[in-house]
Amino acid sequence: MIEIYSRSGCPYCEKIKKVMEIEELPHVSYELDRDFTKEEFYAKFGKGSTFPQVTLDDIHLGGCQESIQHMQREKICCQL
Protein backbone atom coordinates (compact mmCIF):
# COMPACT_ATOMS: atom_id res chain seq x y z
CA MET A 1 0.00 0.00 0.00
CA ILE A 2 1.25 3.48 -0.86
CA GLU A 3 1.11 6.00 1.96
CA ILE A 4 1.55 9.72 1.39
CA TYR A 5 2.41 12.00 4.31
CA SER A 6 1.47 15.51 3.25
CA ARG A 7 0.58 18.99 4.42
CA SER A 8 -1.94 21.47 3.09
CA GLY A 9 -0.67 24.04 0.61
CA CYS A 10 2.21 21.83 -0.58
CA PRO A 11 2.41 21.71 -4.41
CA TYR A 12 4.55 18.55 -4.40
CA CYS A 13 2.02 16.86 -2.12
CA GLU A 14 -0.72 17.68 -4.62
CA LYS A 15 1.44 16.48 -7.51
CA ILE A 16 2.10 13.02 -6.01
CA LYS A 17 -1.59 12.65 -5.09
CA LYS A 18 -2.54 13.55 -8.68
CA VAL A 19 -0.08 10.95 -10.03
CA MET A 20 -1.71 8.31 -7.81
CA GLU A 21 -5.15 9.34 -9.06
CA ILE A 22 -4.17 9.37 -12.77
CA GLU A 23 -2.34 6.04 -12.48
CA GLU A 24 -5.24 4.60 -10.43
CA LEU A 25 -2.87 3.40 -7.72
CA PRO A 26 -4.46 2.57 -4.37
CA HIS A 27 -3.05 4.83 -1.70
CA VAL A 28 -3.73 6.47 1.64
CA SER A 29 -3.02 10.13 2.20
CA TYR A 30 -2.24 11.41 5.69
CA GLU A 31 -2.40 15.12 6.47
CA LEU A 32 -0.21 17.07 8.92
CA ASP A 33 -2.15 18.24 12.01
CA ARG A 34 -5.07 15.96 11.12
CA ASP A 35 -3.43 12.52 11.10
CA PHE A 36 0.01 13.19 12.58
CA THR A 37 2.05 15.92 14.27
CA LYS A 38 5.25 17.46 13.00
CA GLU A 39 7.08 15.66 15.83
CA GLU A 40 5.66 12.30 14.68
CA PHE A 41 6.63 13.14 11.09
CA TYR A 42 10.23 13.92 12.09
CA ALA A 43 10.40 10.80 14.27
CA LYS A 44 9.35 8.67 11.29
CA PHE A 45 11.33 10.38 8.48
CA GLY A 46 14.09 12.31 10.24
CA LYS A 47 14.51 15.89 11.41
CA GLY A 48 14.40 18.33 8.52
CA SER A 49 12.45 16.02 6.18
CA THR A 50 10.29 17.86 3.68
CA PHE A 51 6.80 17.18 2.39
CA PRO A 52 5.57 14.93 0.99
CA GLN A 53 7.13 11.69 2.16
CA VAL A 54 5.95 8.49 0.51
CA THR A 55 6.15 4.87 1.63
CA LEU A 56 5.34 1.71 -0.33
CA ASP A 57 4.69 -1.40 1.76
CA ASP A 58 6.70 0.17 4.62
CA ILE A 59 9.63 1.01 2.32
CA HIS A 60 10.47 4.72 2.47
CA LEU A 61 10.62 6.05 -1.10
CA GLY A 62 11.28 9.71 -0.27
CA GLY A 63 9.73 12.87 -1.63
CA CYS A 64 7.66 13.42 -4.75
CA GLN A 65 10.40 13.11 -7.39
CA GLU A 66 12.22 10.24 -5.68
CA SER A 67 8.96 8.34 -5.31
CA ILE A 68 7.99 8.78 -8.95
CA GLN A 69 11.49 7.72 -10.06
CA HIS A 70 11.36 4.61 -7.85
CA MET A 71 7.93 3.64 -9.19
CA GLN A 72 9.16 4.15 -12.77
CA ARG A 73 12.19 1.91 -12.17
CA GLU A 74 9.96 -0.75 -10.62
CA LYS A 75 7.39 -0.34 -13.43
CA ILE A 76 4.64 0.51 -10.95
CA CYS A 77 3.61 3.71 -12.69
CA CYS A 78 4.43 6.58 -14.96
CA GLN A 79 5.86 4.64 -17.86
CA LEU A 80 6.60 6.87 -20.83
Side-chain angles (χ1 to χ4, degrees):
M1 172 63 71
I2 298 169
E3 297 179 323
I4 302 169
Y5 293 81
S6 64
R7 67 173 176 80
S8 64
C10 167
Y12 290 105
C13 299
E14 294 307 314
K15 179 178 180 178
I16 194 70
K17 290 178 196 176
K18 190 68 170 172
V19 167
M20 298 299 116
E21 181 182 308
I22 290 169
E23 295 285 330
E24 298 180 353
L25 294 171
H27 66 283
V28 177
S29 182
Y30 300 110
E31 192 79 25
L32 176 65
D33 296 328
R34 181 187 74 198
D35 302 307
F36 61 91
T37 65
K38 190 168 269 194
E39 291 77 21
E40 291 169 324
F41 180 79
Y42 287 151
K44 185 170 182 79
F45 299 110
K47 187 88 169 151
S49 293
T50 58
F51 288 92
Q53 291 298 313
V54 181
T55 63
L56 171 62
D57 297 330
D58 294 324
I59 299 168
H60 181 218
L61 303 183
C64 181
Q65 292 303 111
E66 297 90 354
S67 299
I68 290 171
Q69 289 169 356
H70 175 85
M71 290 187 283
Q72 285 175 321
R73 280 192 307 274
E74 298 299 318
K75 299 187 181 357
I76 296 168
C77 83
C78 317
Q79 300 303 305
L80 304 175

